[in-house]
Amino acid sequence: MRIEQLTVRLRARSDWEAVELGMALVRQHAGAIWKPWLWFTLPVFALLNLAAWSIDRMWVAALLMWWLKPAFDRIPLYVISRAVFGSVPGTRETLHAQAHWGLRTLPHLLTWRRFSPVRSLYMPIDLLEGVQGERLRQRRRVLGGQAYGTAILLTWICLLFQGVLVLGGIVAVVMYLPRDVLPDSVQAAFEIAAIAWPAWFELAWNALAWAAISVIEPFYVGAGFGLYLNRRTQIEAWDLEIVFRKLRARLAAAVPLVLAAVLWAGAGTADAQERHGAPPVAPAPVETTEAEKPTPPTLPRVFGDQRVDDRSFREAADRAYRDPLLGRQHVQSGWERRTPEEKEQDEEAQDSDHALLAGIGTVLAFIGEWGLWLVAGALLVVLLASVRYWWPWMRGLARAPVADPGAPQTEALVLPDVLPEDIATAARRLWREGRPRHALALLYRASVDSMSRRADLVLPPGATEAECLRASRRMPLAEDRQVFARIVRTWQYAAYAERLPGDDEFDALVGELQQRYGWAA
């Protein structure tokens, strides 16, 4: 590996700085990543959804697209692993490489390694280093190290961002729906969601999930690659190796110049000796006796008049050696009790304190180890104690809608053009005859007519329930607005959700409307 060709500045970074480095690489080479990503994943998405539609199991396509994410992750890893060395692959080259690059490791990534929370950190080891067996396990253990926890947090953060994008897409669609088609409560929304989805709705859901994966997944792979680079820099000192290699290159470029200068200086000295005569002949060695041998050099003989008085240095050195911190021996003093009985009492008190602290530590350790299970058990007890409240509601969600041949909703609503004089009596008669939707429709129509007169406005033909509710805000009395909202809500439940009120509730509603709007008895 020619690390001197790296286009990023290597240095020992923190884990989150390494994550940002990887994401910056993805942003820098976005075109080279997302073009082959779309060319590769779009056909797979279309084929999987077509096959799932043929067997009427659209959720299988979404599950397989999520399961194949490690196969798709090879695309951003292939691009940025070559872009950091200054060689950005093209779209065709990247797509061609997917046919053979990493195929030996791909079955592992799609089986027992699929649920690894540190897949982004380990994928560069699996695909770029090409090691297997025990050495692969050693490399994973060494390079994981302190970055293991960061890689797990990175996985959870990216999953949360994918969920946020999916939820944001749903909310963006709901924002543009008319208010009159939206459910009035959370329970009604769950009931609608429990009904079987049409194929186009499931396809839209799969497309939204694929779009969220396509946005987040390259950043997830790039962040893991940044952690991988940072771990190798910390362990193998890549930054220092790059500095030494650059220094060696500069020195190698300067060696010919230095050698030429040395040769030129030697040649100049030889020419000078030839111009001034033959070189001097070395004198013959002379034997010396023991007394005539030279004495070893001393400071005064070596430096002569240039010698500086070092008295201050010697005094400073003596003071340093007299410092007790630099000596080999030192005196350590402490306080001891005169009577050993008091010492034993203090030790017993300390032992009791230690026993108390050890007991507290044991309790805290038990809470830390079993606290989550205790909380789960308490929640289970609460759920079992309140089962009579939520179980009927859950059973209502799971119950499939049953088509009733004689259901009231199949009967066409035929109302008179002119409202009857005694609206309450007519509505009660329709209710007793087994036509509850007709009775509620008559009450709703009469309430709209009374609301229009009291609010002093004219509603346009075909006004929806939501428009009638907004118009009812002009009525001066709050009681009139509340009873009108009640009849509108009751009519919507009966017309769209097939939920009819009970007999007592219907009689109370008719009586309240008759009292508030002054209908004839």
Side-chain angles (χ1 to χ4, degrees):
M1 182 183 295
R2 293 171 293 181
I3 60 175
E4 67 275 1
Q5 295 182 356
L6 285 169
T7 57
V8 297
R9 182 182 177 184
L10 291 182
R11 60 178 178 85
R13 293 176 168 87
S14 66
D15 291 341
W16 295 111
E17 287 179 326
V19 168
E20 176 58 29
L21 172 64
M23 292 188 176
L25 289 173
V26 174
R27 292 195 301 269
Q28 183 178 1
H29 307 286
I33 292 175
W34 268 286
K35 287 180 182 178
W37 176 279
L38 295 177
W39 279 105
F40 188 75
T41 59
L42 266 179
V44 177
F45 175 80
L47 291 176
L48 290 179
N49 281 273
L50 183 61
W53 175 77
S54 64
I55 62 175
D56 196 19
R57 294 292 185 272
M58 294 296 291
W59 60 268
V60 177
L63 177 62
L64 290 178
M65 286 295 295
W66 173 81
W67 193 271
L68 291 174
K69 283 201 299 183
F72 303 150
D73 292 345
R74 296 180 301 156
I75 295 176
L77 182 60
Y78 181 85
V79 173
I80 60 178
S81 63
R82 282 148 180 80
V84 292
F85 290 98
S87 176
V88 182
T91 302
R92 182 173 299 178
E93 178 185 352
T94 303
L95 292 175
H96 179 71
Q98 304 310 306
H100 56 83
W101 188 66
L103 290 182
R104 185 174 60 178
T105 312
L106 191 58
H108 305 168
L109 296 175
L110 294 177
T111 51
W112 65 86
R113 295 181 188 171
R114 177 60 185 84
F115 295 101
S116 174
V118 291
R119 189 179 76 247
S120 62
L121 177 60
Y122 284 168
M123 273 192 68
I125 306 174
D126 299 336
L127 300 179
L128 299 178
E129 298 189 4
V131 294
Q132 296 292 330
E134 182 61 27
R135 187 176 180 186
L136 175 61
R137 288 189 288 271
Q138 293 177 357
R139 291 293 294 172
R140 283 168 164 258
R141 186 165 52 252
V142 171
L143 289 178
Q146 64 182 15
Y148 193 90
T150 306
I152 293 177
L153 287 177
L154 174 65
T155 301
W156 283 108
I157 290 172
C158 290
L159 286 176
L160 289 176
F161 269 103
Q162 289 182 11
V164 167
L165 289 180
V166 172
L167 183 61
I170 296 174
V171 173
V173 173
V174 173
M175 286 177 59
Y176 293 97
L177 291 177
R179 293 182 57 185
D180 53 349
V181 302
L182 294 178
D184 293 335
S185 64
V186 178
Q187 183 177 359
F190 276 105
E191 291 178 352
I192 294 174
I195 302 173
W197 294 356
W200 66 266
F201 191 84
E202 293 182 342
L203 179 61
W205 173 267
N206 292 348
L208 185 60
W210 167 79
I213 292 174
S214 299
V215 172
I216 300 300
E217 199 65 17
F219 287 105
Y220 173 66
V221 177
F225 183 72
L227 286 174
Y228 169 76
L229 281 181
N230 189 54
R231 287 296 296 159
R232 293 201 64 174
T233 302
Q234 293 173 350
I235 296 173
E236 303 174 18
W238 277 4
D239 49 349
L240 299 179
E241 185 175 351
I242 290 176
V243 172
F244 285 135
R245 287 190 181 187
K246 291 181 179 180
L247 180 61
R248 184 184 65 182
R250 289 197 297 267
L251 292 177
V255 163
L257 298 178
V258 174
L259 183 60
V262 171
L263 293 177
W264 178 79
T269 304
D271 293 342
Q273 290 180 354
E274 291 179 358
R275 285 195 301 269
H276 291 84
V281 180
V286 180
E287 296 182 358
T288 57
T289 61
E290 189 70 22
E292 295 176 352
K293 288 184 178 180
T295 58
T298 59
L299 291 177
R301 293 184 60 184
V302 172
F303 293 99
D305 297 338
Q306 298 180 358
R307 180 173 177 270
V308 180
D309 187 12
D310 57 349
R311 182 182 304 170
S312 59
F313 174 77
R314 290 197 302 270
E315 293 177 354
D318 293 339
R319 288 195 303 270
Y321 281 119
R322 287 195 300 269
D323 191 345
L325 297 178
L326 299 178
R328 296 184 178 180
Q329 298 179 354
H330 62 281
V331 179
Q332 184 176 1
S333 60
W335 293 92
E336 292 287 343
R337 294 187 179 274
R338 294 181 178 180
T339 57
E341 293 80 6
E342 296 181 359
K343 183 177 181 180
E344 293 178 357
Q345 294 176 359
D346 290 343
E347 291 179 353
E348 292 177 358
Q350 290 179 0
D351 292 339
S352 62
D353 294 340
H354 292 165
L356 177 61
L357 293 177
I360 296 175
T362 304
V363 172
L364 293 178
F366 177 80
I367 294 175
E369 183 177 1
W370 300 98
L372 184 60
W373 293 105
L374 294 176
V375 172
L379 291 177
L380 182 60
V381 171
V382 171
L383 288 176
L384 293 177
S386 59
V387 66
R388 63 179 182 275
Y389 299 108
W390 56 265
W391 180 247
W393 184 73
M394 294 293 293
R395 291 184 61 186
L397 288 181
R399 188 164 48 244
V402 179
D404 188 2
Q409 66 270 16
T410 60
E411 185 181 356
L413 289 175
V414 179
L415 297 176
D417 295 334
V418 180
L419 293 174
E421 295 182 0
D422 192 352
I423 298 173
T425 303
R428 288 190 175 97
R429 183 177 64 254
L430 291 172
W431 185 270
R432 287 193 301 270
E433 293 174 356
R435 295 189 291 175
R437 294 179 74 244
H438 290 74
L440 292 174
L442 178 61
L443 291 179
Y444 172 68
R445 180 178 172 184
S447 300
V448 171
D449 186 70
S450 300
M451 181 271 297
S452 301
R453 289 197 305 270
R454 295 201 175 189
D456 194 17
L457 54 85
V458 177
L459 291 173
T464 62
E465 291 88 345
E467 293 174 345
C468 293
L469 282 174
R470 286 194 292 269
S472 66
R473 298 173 184 172
R474 299 186 182 182
M475 289 191 295
L477 298 179
E479 292 80 3
D480 294 344
R481 296 193 295 269
Q482 292 175 359
V483 72
F484 183 78
R486 181 181 174 187
I487 182 58
V488 171
R489 183 167 58 253
T490 305
W491 162 246
Q492 286 179 330
Y493 284 162
Y496 305 119
E498 303 177 5
R499 291 177 54 190
L500 298 175
D503 295 339
D504 296 338
E505 185 179 355
F506 177 77
D507 290 336
L509 177 62
V510 173
E512 187 176 1
L513 289 172
Q514 187 177 10
Q515 178 184 1
R516 294 305 312 172
Y517 294 144
W519 294 341

